[in-house]
Amino acid sequence: MQLRNRAAYGFLAPYLLIFAAFWIWPIISSFMMSFQNTRINPWVFSPGANWGRLFTDPAFYNALKNTMIILVIQVPVMITLATVMAVLLNSPLLKARGLFRFAFFAPVVVGEVAYAAVFRLMFNLDFGIINKLLNSVGIASISWFSDASAAMALLIIAVTWRWAGYNTIIILAGLQSIPGDVYEAATLDRVSKLRQFIYITLPLLKPIILFCVVLSIIGSMQLFTEPMLITNRGGPGGGTETLGLFLYRQGFTSLNFGYASAIAYTMAALAILISLLNLWVGRDAK
Amino acid sequence: MAELSLKNVGKRFGSYEIIRNASLEVADGEFVVFVGPSGCGKSTLLRMIAGLEPITDGEISIGDTVVNNVEPADRGIAMVFQSYALYPHMTVEENLAFGLRMTGNPKADTERRVQRVADILQIKELMKRRPKQLSGGQRQRVAIGRAIVREPRVFLFDEPLSNLDAELRVQMRVEISRLHKELGTTMIYVTHDQTEAMTLANKIVVLRSGNIEQIGAPLDLYDNPANQFVAGFVGSPKMNFMSAEIVAADGENVTLTLVNQGNVQLTLPLKNPPPSIGDKVTLGVRPEHFAKAGEGIADLTIKVDVAEHLGNTSYIYANVAGGEQLIIEREESRNENIRDTLTIAIKSSHALLFDSDGNRLR
């Protein structure tokens, strides 16, 4: 090896060591762990203990079902909302654009615990402002934390509130990269504003929207904070338990690291699979 | 096809005036070129005709209709943009048909019109390609095609050739000219390139800082510029301007001295209004209008700085004194070299005179 290269690797070595110890090794180690029965001491190699259990465990299927419901409802709602907000933010008629842009992005910056606490207060059965508002228009109070469907809706509302602005900013950047004269040409072609949006804006935004969808899918697959903090550890009775929370409980409450590892790998595989499916469906027809 | 008329049209952004009092009549089938330096308002004026910029004063009519408050789509115009503005996600064929499809034009008619355009512009083999798979010239052709397909009453071109290389520009220029002959539609064309203006136009409109300086046929502008700006802008290489001072004026003739050309004196016929003695004026002579020594009203002896021999003609660049460069075109000067001195003459018939504000005196 040349001296130059040796010196370069020398400088890289501290980082590579840390990368190997805290990144590569946990990935390998957890993969091996998923094949071990970690409920007995010492751990023994027993693939069926975790992978076999995974496919028969009703708790896993419950968490998977909850995660999928959130994914299937929340991601499309949020991306649609983000696209609409981005178009509105991009409007030349809008005043104080910078302020709105910041306001929509702000939820991402807010601390998770603080936002969870505020949501718990707002959706409180007896004194939360949401129920008060519902009552004022004649709708009965909803017990957001003890009814499984309501709790699921609450989760979806919370996640959408937190991440819609983030996606809005990404889509807005995409919108601004579409040259204005294309719209002028369409205007002269007698194409209405709505059709310009459908036939020009959306197709040109497709790669950006796909990117946001994939990011959101990965995020939803890992959803943890909201069911942990807002719906009180996946309550009521596991009604909002997600895969992320199920993993946490297996790993850090039951200390069954082998099973938690198997869940983690399943989540990653599912996220990759769904994202690839998405990219395949949204690919450019050649 | 339609005539177009602008009456005292103006455009202001706040207190900033971009177009002032522009009036223009364009006859049916005419090819009009707006020309002027960057920022003179020529593209804005075109966009005002298209309806993409609202006007603040005056009246624009296309055919018999005042279109001030008519939507761009309903003005019967088609525009070719400098950046082509093709729909990047559609094939050439879809680009051409998009507008017609969106307005519910019968499918068979759309297909016929797209085919006709493909024939006219020879882009049949490109129909299935996307814009990013096309060269600049091909994109420009598609952009023109998209305008033709609409069968507009007026075509608007906004510097359509400025993104092309020199050779392609000449080729496309010829093609646009051919297209105009073939279609016979009114065309308005914006450019900063006076050669394009001279070669394409039936009528040139010269703009400067939002004012129309002169309107006329290309050769009229060349032979009879209204002022020093038009004289300098039209023609390549530029007209030579020599600083001068009036030393005598008798109501029939004026005598001036060329202060930066060795105080050579010459007398030109000039009646009304006679400038006063001592007035600063500018003498304008085109590069090809100098005569051989002794054949004009005054001889100038100049030192050759650079000689460009182009084969059919030569350009002599001489910077005699005071930074006042002269360019002389001479067909028979293959042998002139740097540092040679040369005596040329100014002919009365081709000497223009401008006052200190640039207005034409003769």
Side-chain angles (χ1 to χ4, degrees), chain B residues 252-320:
Chain B
E252 291 285 323
N253 297 298
V254 288
T255 304
L256 40 120
T257 174
L258 300 177
V259 291
N260 290 329
Q261 307 286 353
N263 289 323
V264 168
Q265 289 206 349
L266 52 108
T267 302
L268 292 168
L270 178 65
K271 287 178 184 158
N272 290 318
S276 328
I277 292 166
D279 276 2
K280 300 264 186 279
V281 291
T282 303
L283 181 74
V285 181
R286 291 209 180 272
E288 70 276 24
H289 288 156
F290 287 104
K292 287 180 187 154
E295 290 182 3
I297 45 171
D299 283 356
L300 286 183
T301 300
I302 56 169
K303 190 169 100 334
V304 179
D305 282 339
V306 174
E308 289 179 348
H309 301 299
L310 303 180
N312 57 341
T313 189
S314 297
Y315 292 112
I316 311 295
Y317 291 79
N319 193 343
V320 183

Side-chain angles (χ1 to χ4, degrees), chain B residues 90-288:
Chain B
M90 297 184 199
T91 63
V92 168
E93 193 167 16
E94 289 164 341
N95 260 285
L96 294 176
F98 183 61
L100 295 175
R101 260 182 34 217
M102 286 293 114
T103 47
N105 195 55
K107 206 173 167 206
D109 183 58
T110 303
E111 272 170 23
R112 181 188 61 77
R113 279 153 81 164
V114 168
Q115 280 312 314
R116 177 172 157 260
V117 165
D119 284 338
I120 294 176
L121 296 171
Q122 294 146 23
I123 50 174
K124 269 195 159 151
E125 68 282 7
L126 308 177
M127 297 303 261
K128 297 289 171 213
R129 293 204 209 159
R130 298 266 176 93
K132 66 176 178 219
Q133 297 165 310
L134 303 177
S135 69
Q138 290 170 331
R139 281 180 210 186
Q140 192 50 268
R141 243 175 248 252
V142 178
I144 294 172
R146 193 173 58 180
I148 298 175
V149 140
R150 298 196 44 213
E151 300 178 353
R153 299 193 289 168
V154 180
F155 278 102
L156 306 178
F157 293 90
D158 188 6
E159 306 214 25
L161 307 186
S162 55
N163 289 344
L164 304 180
D165 64 48
E167 199 180 332
L168 205 53
R169 206 148 53 206
V170 174
Q171 193 189 325
M172 285 303 290
R173 201 166 76 200
V174 174
E175 243 173 83
I176 290 174
S177 210
R178 173 182 67 89
L179 209 61
H180 178 243
K181 281 205 186 74
E182 226 171 283
L183 302 172
T185 313
T186 312
M187 291 187 177
I188 299 181
Y189 187 105
V190 163
T191 179
H192 59 265
D193 180 345
Q194 61 88 30
T195 317
E196 261 172 43
M198 294 295 283
T199 50
L200 286 171
N202 302 130
K203 187 189 268 179
I204 295 181
V205 177
V206 183
L207 287 125
R208 176 173 60 159
S209 322
N211 289 314
I212 293 184
E213 295 284 318
Q214 191 172 0
I215 302 173
L219 291 180
D220 276 352
L221 295 196
Y222 190 81
D223 296 334
N224 265 317
N227 52 42
Q228 193 177 342
F229 173 77
V230 177
F233 195 79
V234 175
S236 173
K238 273 177 69 159
M239 180 182 274
N240 295 293
F241 293 120
M242 290 167 264
S243 301
E245 203 178 305
I246 303 288
V247 290
D250 61 8
E252 291 285 323
N253 297 298
V254 288
T255 304
L256 40 120
T257 174
L258 300 177
V259 291
N260 290 329
Q261 307 286 353
N263 289 323
V264 168
Q265 289 206 349
L266 52 108
T267 302
L268 292 168
L270 178 65
K271 287 178 184 158
N272 290 318
S276 328
I277 292 166
D279 276 2
K280 300 264 186 279
V281 291
T282 303
L283 181 74
V285 181
R286 291 209 180 272
E288 70 276 24

